[in-house]
Amino acid sequence: MRCAARASILQAYWRPSAAQGVRRICRGHGRNTATDRMREAATSAHASGERGAGDGNQHACNIDSHLSKEGQARNLSSLSKFIFSFLGIPGMVSLHGGLPNASIFPFKSMKVELQDGTWLDMSETEKMDAAQQYNTNGRGYPPLLEWAKQNAQQLHAPPARQEVVITSGNNHAIDMVLCCLLNRGDSLLCDEYTYSHLVEAMVGPKGYRALPVPMDDFGMTPEALEQTIEDLKAKGQPLPRVLYLVPNGQNPVSYVAPLERRQALYQTSRKYDLMIVEDDPYFFLQFPHNREVPGLWNMGRSYMSLDTDGRVVRLDSFAKFLAPGFRLGWLTAHPHFVDKFTYHMHGTALGPCSTTQVMLAELVQHWGSAGLDRHLKSLQTVYKRRALLMHTAAKQHLEGLASWLPPEAGMFMWLKLEGGVKDADDIIDALKDEQVAVVPGRISHCNGPRPPFPCPFVRLSFAMAPEEDIPKGIERLANVLKRVQNKSDRGH
């Protein structure tokens, strides 16, 4: 086994938050002993769970009290603990690792060409070994992990103690976060219309309950959130444990929550001791219609940036601003929660894909902040143009037939159908006849895709269709609605 692989297995599951000396160890310059590091890890894990986000904060979140039974049971594996006992012993011959020998890996070199013609070369032995080996670093490939940490600090400046871990994208991360926070039968609060995959693929099958909070044009209101919780208290029902929010370009409604709204919802969460899951895959896809695109540096405040208590679990994704096929993202949260999440992730999936971690690390290092800023401005400009194209076509064809707000983030435009349409399901056959596909809003209701009431909303996407098809699709939707309106007028 090569030296790099032998060293990396000794660092598996090691917690940088617990032992700051880990970076020196990874570089071969460790000075504290294995016993010292184990003692620091145990002390930090206990302290982070008991003290919460910081001493003296009466609202500091006690992570242990929020963990589910599964989350509490997730711990560092016995094998890893045993391996740690051998750390720091000079001249050690490693016969413990069940990793393939790097000399038998099939790929010798890897180069990729960027859209601008630049080539990235990842053929160094250390990079090729890392790209083809098990994901043996507990928190992620170190260069990519370091980038994600810097991103969290520079863009969000969390006021509470936080750590970062690389994930396999937000869908997988949401599922694992909920496993760590909810027991079967527990409830979470979310927008009345929310991410449908959350409801159908995670909440339902795992026996959780999604509680709808009434919305306005900018998501759930603090008053509605408080009233929902107070109604449960008055009925003597168990209170929710988690608040799920998508603050930018929310799927399906596409709202961007104003800072004042975020601050008020955070304070309500403190009042009722809720953990906040901030799922923010569209963070980098913001494009305000009344000013220049923000690039990297002007995207506004996140819930993480407001989190003095350590109650926010923030999820970022590479899917929307690079490409979804990489299946990578990163999670930022209280160090004790990151520990539990990491144990869960490695216990069930052995971590994210090593190859794509190496590729993306190479890319973001090559770009640097200036290059990423240019990329994001270009991307945001494209999405802004497409959103404006859809909004302009809607003003031309849908006035009096629907109401909407122009999108300022994400991939979607949310319409409320008018002109006699009570339920979007009533126009499905006509949409097929007119050859235009939109998504009925009912599919995104947090109680499931078949709510027991009429739903006049539809979701339109401006992300993937050829630009020339966007006005064409809007016109076809208008033809359908006019047909319904004419039938309604004749009926009167």
Side-chain angles (χ1 to χ4, degrees):
M1 184 179 294
R2 300 185 190 181
C3 293
R6 183 167 68 247
S8 63
I9 186 59
L10 288 172
Q11 306 306 328
Y13 303 95
W14 189 249
R15 307 190 309 107
S17 62
Q20 295 301 322
V22 68
R23 291 183 190 171
R24 295 193 298 271
I25 297 165
C26 290
R27 296 170 183 164
H29 301 294
R31 288 174 288 179
N32 51 344
T33 67
T35 302
D36 291 337
R37 292 193 296 273
M38 291 294 288
R39 185 182 299 115
E40 290 172 10
T43 301
S44 176
H46 174 76
S48 60
E50 293 299 320
R51 290 199 303 267
D55 295 329
N57 179 2
Q58 62 177 335
H59 293 287
C61 193
N62 185 325
I63 295 299
D64 280 332
S65 69
H66 284 277
L67 294 174
S68 65
K69 293 178 181 177
E70 180 174 352
Q72 292 170 357
R74 292 287 180 184
N75 288 299
L76 189 66
S77 71
S78 298
L79 175 60
S80 296
K81 292 177 183 177
F82 175 77
I83 292 172
F84 286 159
S85 69
F86 287 82
L87 284 172
I89 302 176
M92 181 64 57
V93 176
S94 299
L95 301 179
H96 62 280
L99 285 77
N101 192 292
S103 65
I104 67 171
F105 290 155
F107 296 112
K108 182 178 180 180
S109 65
M110 180 166 61
K111 298 179 181 180
V112 294
E113 185 179 8
L114 303 183
Q115 292 283 359
D116 65 1
T118 303
W119 284 88
L120 301 182
D121 190 346
M122 291 153 279
S123 301
E124 295 176 18
T125 299
E126 183 178 356
K127 293 177 182 177
M128 290 305 299
D129 287 357
Q132 297 176 86
Q133 188 55 272
Y134 283 119
N135 186 36
T136 53
N137 186 295
R139 296 283 178 81
Y141 179 56
L144 187 61
L145 179 62
E146 187 60 32
W147 177 88
K149 288 181 178 181
Q150 292 176 4
N151 178 278
Q153 287 298 321
Q154 293 171 355
L155 298 186
H156 308 289
R161 293 180 300 146
Q162 307 291 349
E163 266 298 336
V164 178
V165 58
I166 302 299
T167 71
S168 298
N170 280 23
N171 273 334
H172 192 213
I174 295 168
D175 184 58
M176 289 188 289
V177 166
L178 295 184
C179 283
C180 289
L181 293 176
L182 297 176
N183 298 310
R184 191 173 188 86
D186 285 343
S187 58
L188 72 157
L189 296 148
C190 52
D191 287 318
E192 183 177 8
Y193 291 92
T194 191
Y195 181 39
S196 62
H197 197 76
L198 169 82
V199 176
E200 292 195 271
M202 302 172 201
V203 171
K206 292 182 178 293
Y208 312 141
R209 293 192 306 138
L211 302 179
V213 180
M215 309 167 63
D216 61 15
D217 289 335
F218 302 103
M220 70 172 68
T221 67
E223 297 79 12
L225 175 60
E226 184 157 358
Q227 188 62 55
T228 300
I229 298 173
E230 288 296 331
D231 288 346
L232 293 171
K233 289 176 67 175
K235 296 174 183 176
Q237 296 182 3
L239 298 184
R241 298 161 58 92
V242 173
L243 176 61
Y244 173 81
L245 296 166
V246 183
N248 297 296
Q250 187 253 25
N251 178 4
V253 180
S254 196
Y255 67 77
V256 176
L259 176 58
E260 295 76 12
R261 176 69 54 89
R262 302 181 195 208
Q263 291 170 328
L265 289 173
Y266 183 78
Q267 291 303 321
T268 304
S269 298
R270 300 182 88 192
K271 179 177 179 179
Y272 294 101
D273 196 22
L274 298 169
M275 290 290 289
I276 297 175
V277 177
E278 182 180 22
D279 181 17
D280 208 359
Y282 304 103
F283 176 72
F284 294 101
L285 260 62
Q286 299 183 54
F287 40 87
H289 61 77
N290 59 351
R291 60 183 177 89
E292 295 296 317
V293 293
L296 178 61
W297 301 113
N298 299 295
M299 246 110 42
R301 300 282 298 276
S302 62
Y303 285 99
M304 176 61 66
S305 74
L306 306 173
D307 185 25
T308 56
D309 304 345
R311 68 179 63 254
V312 173
V313 178
R314 178 176 171 82
L315 302 174
D316 285 281
S317 174
F318 290 103
K320 303 303 190 294
F321 75 95
L322 290 181
F326 294 121
R327 303 315 307 141
L328 290 175
W330 65 101
L331 176 149
T332 310
H334 187 288
H336 188 44
F337 184 83
V338 170
D339 290 341
K340 291 293 187 177
F341 179 91
T342 302
Y343 302 150
H344 185 357
M345 179 171 62
H346 278 266
T348 56
L350 294 179
C353 174
S354 298
T355 304
T356 54
Q357 286 189 79
V358 172
M359 291 176 66
L360 290 197
E362 198 73 12
L363 176 62
V364 295
Q365 288 176 338
H366 167 73
W367 273 347
S369 295
L372 180 57
D373 182 59
R374 287 192 297 270
H375 169 76
L376 290 176
K377 285 181 176 177
S378 175
L379 185 73
Q380 292 158 358
T381 299
V382 169
Y383 275 84
K384 184 173 184 175
R385 182 178 70 243
R386 286 172 159 270
L388 180 60
L389 186 61
M390 178 170 282
H391 173 58
T392 302
K395 287 199 298 183
Q396 179 180 354
H397 296 290
L398 294 177
E399 290 286 0
L401 300 172
S403 57
W404 67 94
L405 289 177
E408 295 191 88
M411 298 178 168
F412 308 109
M413 191 164 82
W414 182 248
L415 268 65
K416 181 179 182 181
L417 304 181
E418 298 170 351
V421 180
K422 305 299 183 184
D423 193 314
D425 275 358
D426 296 340
I427 65 171
I428 298 300
D429 290 339
L431 290 171
K432 294 177 181 177
D433 293 341
E434 196 67 32
Q435 296 180 302
V436 58
V438 301
V439 177
R442 63 167 175 79
I443 288 177
S444 297
H445 195 274
C446 88
N447 285 153
R450 292 288 178 183
F453 50 81
C455 178
F457 300 102
V458 293
R459 190 198 77 180
L460 282 61
S461 172
F462 49 82
M464 189 173 180
E467 291 193 11
E468 62 270 19
D469 282 354
I470 293 176
K472 185 188 306 182
I474 294 294
E475 184 176 7
R476 291 180 180 183
L477 174 60
N479 292 338
V480 169
L481 298 178
K482 289 175 183 176
R483 193 185 314 168
V484 173
Q485 188 177 54
N486 291 336
K487 286 182 179 179
S488 177
D489 291 343
R490 288 197 300 270
H492 288 84

